[in-house]
Amino acid sequence: MQKFFQTMPHTPSDEIISVPLTASLHSLSEKLPAAALRKAKTLGFSDKQLAHIFSAKESEIRALRKHYGVNAVYKTVDTCAAEFDAKTPYHYSTYADENESQRSPKKKVIILGGGPNRIGQGIEFDYCCVQAIFALKEMGYEAIMINCNPETVSTDYDIADKLYFEPLTFEDVMNIIELEQPQGIIVSFGGQTPLRLSTSLEAAGIKILGTSSEGIDVAEDRKKFGALLDRLNIPHPDYGTAVNYDEAQTIATRVGYPVLVRPSYVLGGRAMQVVYNDDSLKGYIERAAALSPDHPILIDRFLEHATEFDIDAIADKSGCVVAGIMQHIEAAGIHSGDSTSILPPQGADKAVIKKMKAYTRQLAKALNVIGLMNIQFAVQGKDVYVLEVNPRASRSVPFVCKAISKPIVKVATRVMLGEKLSVLKTKFKLKDCDELRLKHISIKEPVFPFSKFLKSGVYLGPEMRSTGEVMSLAATFGEAFAKSALAAGNRLPTSGTVFISVSDNDKTPQTLALAERLYRAGFDLIATSGTADFFKRNRIECKTVYKVGEGKPNIFDIIRLGKVQFVINTPLGERSRYDEEAIGTAAIISGVPFVTTIEAAEAAAAGIEHLRKESSGVKSLQEYAKAT
């Protein structure tokens, strides 16, 4: 490959127009002359690819390119087809002579979008980017968007003042920054993708608006973050970091199985997994090392049967506003993007809420958060553990904005541009979420593509799998859950048969109360042998059915024949989770509502009870907002 570049002919247009090379780049220039570099860029080679080919640093390739005067120019896609002047033209980069993107004299801010639309990176972050654009325009700034996803609102012709349809890489973003010379750049509204650029951009002298790359790095680096939590005396699950299997096995032995393992700096919980033994851990380490070779593997003690909470907050040096506290229906361990969340929390201990708010303020101050932040907590009894902190907008922000009817993204944008939260809090009538006295309950429920990908398995875990979400609002929890289930395509039954199969850990009075609740509502109960025996010992009428592989007709057959209207299956442990997939697949094929936790089953029971008593009302979001 190097010989290919070296044999390219020299042409007059490749004359060096810059100052002489430094000594450190002289040998690189001999291997990669001006003509070769220009041709490589014309063919689409990135600086990073060329650095790999020539065993150099990306910064060296960039410096050599600048020395040669090989710079990207921007062409225009006329959104009005030349019929009249386009207010928001699209620009894309190429290596040619004429640059069609002209810098305006206005003060400007660049926002980095979420990048390609995929699981873990979707419309939630695009909402934040669009709201930030609106705020910047209101403040008199020219709002410039960099994004490469044509399916987002931020790339619509009438949103940003200027749009660059470019990849979210250091090279491409820096090229635009050098052309536009903005007052600063926002990386915290597009999710994990732009956040990963913060350190390299700040190292290049670019002003990051909001939380600094140092604060972001502390939150992402498990050792630094763990040390911070210890210094603040904030509880957290025992953890460790490893770069190979031997280190990982030592940590897992110390903290005890099961453990939650994941690479650092990944999107949507990608490659995150609950591991139960050494063999599974070894296989995981091999896969994760390939996914994130430059960062260590994070290993945490997995808290089974804990309740998870999410907090979204706005902070700066003048204070912190807890905008929303969301309670997850599913137990801890389910990715927050896949969990059904309730705002405000239902039945949560006031002391627990107070403790979570206190930890949020401590961490916001310690990380010097400027703008939005998200914290995930796990609660066991009255013990509160911090799982992770994201010093950026989270995917729950749009839900919180609509639930509390407050423009928290716009406020966060103003904070990032230097306005004080203490002043904005009064101006926008912001209060901590538990002081809002909301008269309605909001529920966010995920939507999954399982009906289209049956072999992917249906068990929810730490890796995000949902491809969308719905939101419902109502005066009561039961009505809100029934609405969200219907909107997500899981119409709850009001009569028929319920299949229940629970793990030994779920054979509790809580499960008995749930079964009695469904039985009193008129449902017939069927269960596999272990659960059926548990019910019968406690005088709950229940019919026993075969597990898959025990005989015919088994539960898979019964569901497929349409004889089951609701499935409750709570596996525990690796083997049980594999066994569950057959039941889940049958339920999805048959369109039967399916839950995998007792908490989710209790929520469904509340929804069923509402549907049996009364119909749901319809009110606009604006009507709910007026009542707050």
Side-chain angles (χ1 to χ4, degrees):
M1 182 63 78
Q2 290 188 29
K3 289 181 179 179
F4 169 75
F5 289 121
Q6 290 170 340
T7 55
M8 288 181 179
H10 178 82
T11 62
S13 63
D14 296 315
E15 292 293 343
I16 296 174
I17 59 173
S18 176
V19 295
L21 286 174
T22 61
S24 62
L25 292 176
H26 185 70
S27 60
L28 179 59
S29 68
E30 292 179 343
K31 292 187 275 185
L32 188 58
L37 181 54
R38 180 175 292 279
K39 184 66 174 178
K41 299 305 291 184
T42 303
L43 291 173
F45 283 87
S46 68
D47 289 353
K48 193 170 186 177
Q49 287 173 312
L50 292 172
H52 176 73
I53 293 170
F54 289 93
S55 301
K57 296 178 181 178
E58 183 179 355
S59 58
E60 292 175 328
I61 297 294
R62 182 176 183 81
L64 185 63
R65 182 163 58 79
K66 296 295 180 183
H67 167 76
Y68 290 149
V70 179
N71 297 308
V73 298
Y74 295 90
K75 298 299 183 181
T76 300
V77 176
D78 190 345
T79 53
C80 298
E83 186 175 351
F84 46 86
D85 288 341
K87 291 184 178 179
T88 310
Y90 290 23
H91 298 290
Y92 65 94
S93 67
T94 186
Y95 281 82
D97 296 326
E98 182 185 6
N99 181 33
E100 297 177 0
S101 176
Q102 300 302 312
R103 181 173 68 246
S104 76
K106 297 178 181 178
K107 59 180 182 178
K108 51 185 69 67
V109 169
I110 289 177
I111 300 175
L112 300 189
N117 204 7
R118 59 208 188 276
I119 291 177
Q121 191 85 43
I123 59 171
E124 301 95 337
F125 295 121
D126 193 58
Y127 172 94
C128 296
C129 291
V130 171
Q131 292 296 312
I133 290 171
F134 292 159
L136 290 172
K137 287 183 175 182
E138 291 169 3
M139 298 171 70
Y141 286 88
E142 180 179 351
I144 299 173
M145 190 77 202
I146 304 177
N147 203 12
C148 54
N149 182 1
E151 300 301 322
T152 56
V153 178
S154 60
T155 55
D156 282 354
Y157 73 93
D158 59 349
I159 298 298
D161 292 310
K162 207 169 185 180
L163 169 66
Y164 286 92
F165 208 75
E166 291 291 286
L168 292 168
T169 68
F170 174 76
E171 175 186 348
D172 293 288
V173 170
M174 277 300 298
N175 288 342
I176 298 168
I177 290 173
E178 289 172 351
L179 172 65
E180 294 290 352
Q181 298 179 16
Q183 273 66 32
I185 184 166
I186 294 175
V187 301
S188 57
F189 287 152
Q192 199 72 34
T193 299
L195 204 69
R196 286 186 292 218
L197 297 175
S198 60
T199 301
S200 54
L201 289 173
E202 203 158 56
I206 307 305
K207 184 178 181 180
I208 303 296
L209 297 174
T211 307
S212 68
S213 62
E214 182 181 0
I216 293 169
D217 185 60
V218 170
E220 291 284 350
D221 186 303
R222 193 59 185 178
K223 286 184 178 179
K224 294 178 183 177
F225 184 58
L228 174 65
L229 292 176
D230 290 337
R231 179 166 60 84
L232 297 175
N233 198 28
I234 295 177
H236 57 84
D238 202 0
Y239 72 95
T241 60
V243 295
N244 54 50
Y245 168 69
D246 290 336
E247 291 183 7
Q249 199 272 339
T250 300
I251 294 166
T253 300
R254 173 171 59 83
V255 305
Y257 285 108
V259 292
L260 181 67
V261 289
R262 58 194 167 107
S264 49
Y265 284 95
V266 295
L267 172 71
R270 186 180 173 204
M272 197 183 295
Q273 185 176 326
V274 178
V275 171
Y276 289 83
N277 55 57
D278 287 348
D279 290 339
S280 296
L281 180 63
K282 187 173 184 178
Y284 174 85
I285 295 297
E286 293 172 355
R287 296 190 300 274
L291 176 66
S292 185
D294 299 328
H295 300 288
I297 306 301
L298 312 180
I299 303 172
D300 297 82
R301 179 169 65 90
F302 178 59
L303 300 174
E304 291 193 298
H305 290 281
T307 302
E308 192 164 334
F309 292 82
D310 255 286
I311 282 186
D312 281 325
I314 311 172
D316 69 359
K317 292 181 180 179
S318 71
C320 176
V321 174
V322 177
I325 300 180
M326 289 147 283
Q327 180 180 356
H328 295 194
I329 288 179
E330 290 81 7
I334 306 300
H335 191 279
S336 59
D338 286 355
S339 65
T340 301
S341 300
I342 317 163
L343 190 157
Q346 300 297 295
D349 189 288
K350 290 184 178 179
V352 167
I353 296 293
K354 184 177 180 180
K355 196 177 292 185
M356 288 191 293
K357 290 175 64 178
Y359 291 161
T360 299
R361 290 190 165 86
Q362 281 183 271
L363 287 165
K365 184 177 181 180
L367 292 170
N368 193 24
V369 172
I370 308 294
L372 287 169
M373 70 179 296
N374 170 267
I375 304 184
Q376 295 173 21
F377 297 91
V379 177
Q380 287 184 321
K382 293 191 177 182
D383 295 326
V384 177
Y385 300 90
V386 170
L387 299 180
E388 64 176 89
V389 176
N390 294 305
R392 58 167 171 82
S394 73
R395 62 179 48 81
S396 55
V397 164
F399 169 68
V400 173
C401 286
K402 296 177 191 299
I404 69 173
S405 303
K406 301 294 180 183
I408 64 174
V409 178
K410 285 187 175 183
V411 173
T413 303
R414 288 177 173 271
V415 166
M416 294 163 76
L417 267 295
E419 296 187 31
K420 289 187 177 181
L421 180 60
S422 56
V423 176
L424 294 170
K425 182 177 179 180
T426 302
K427 181 179 179 180
F428 288 92
K429 299 179 181 179
L430 288 177
K431 297 180 180 179
D432 279 351
C433 63
D434 56 337
E435 298 171 1
L436 288 173
R437 303 290 185 262
L438 295 175
K439 296 179 182 179
H440 61 267
I441 293 170
S442 302
I443 293 181
K444 174 185 75 74
E445 183 160 343
V447 177
F448 299 97
F450 296 145
S451 61
K452 294 180 175 63
F453 301 98
L454 292 174
K455 293 184 179 180
S456 68
V458 300
Y459 185 77
L460 301 181
E463 184 168 3
M464 185 173 170
R465 306 179 70 189
S466 64
T467 52
E469 61 189 26
V470 299
M471 176 180 177
S472 69
L473 297 93
T476 66
F477 174 75
E479 182 180 3
F481 190 86
K483 284 181 175 180
S484 67
L486 178 63
N490 300 314
R491 184 184 292 273
L492 296 175
T494 55
S495 62
T497 299
V498 177
F499 167 72
I500 305 177
S501 178
V502 298
S503 66
D504 289 341
N505 282 11
D506 281 326
K507 289 170 182 172
T508 62
Q510 182 184 12
T511 300
L512 291 174
L514 170 66
E516 288 177 354
R517 188 175 178 181
L518 292 169
Y519 185 78
R520 287 197 306 270
F523 287 91
D524 295 325
L525 305 182
I526 63 173
T528 48
S529 56
T531 303
D533 291 343
F534 169 63
F535 286 158
K536 290 172 183 176
R537 287 197 304 270
N538 289 277
R539 299 181 180 180
I540 295 176
E541 189 174 329
C542 179
K543 178 183 177 183
T544 304
V545 297
Y546 289 127
K547 294 180 181 179
V548 176
E550 284 185 344
K552 290 286 187 175
N554 57 43
I555 184 56
F556 182 91
D557 302 321
I558 293 170
I559 294 173
R560 292 290 288 120
L561 289 170
K563 295 182 179 181
V564 173
Q565 282 66 52
F566 188 41
V567 172
I568 302 170
N569 189 19
T570 69
L572 180 67
E574 201 164 27
R575 182 62 228 166
S576 297
R577 293 183 178 185
Y578 288 133
D579 291 342
E580 178 214 31
E581 300 298 351
I583 298 171
T585 299
I588 288 167
I589 292 173
S590 305
V592 177
F594 179 90
V595 296
T596 58
T597 67
I598 294 300
E599 293 78 12
E602 288 177 325
I608 289 169
E609 288 168 351
H610 167 79
L611 292 174
R612 288 174 61 86
K613 293 177 182 177
E614 55 188 305
S615 59
S616 296
V618 177
K619 289 171 65 176
S620 68
L621 191 63
Q622 289 76 11
E623 289 176 289
Y624 282 108
K626 287 180 181 178
T628 59

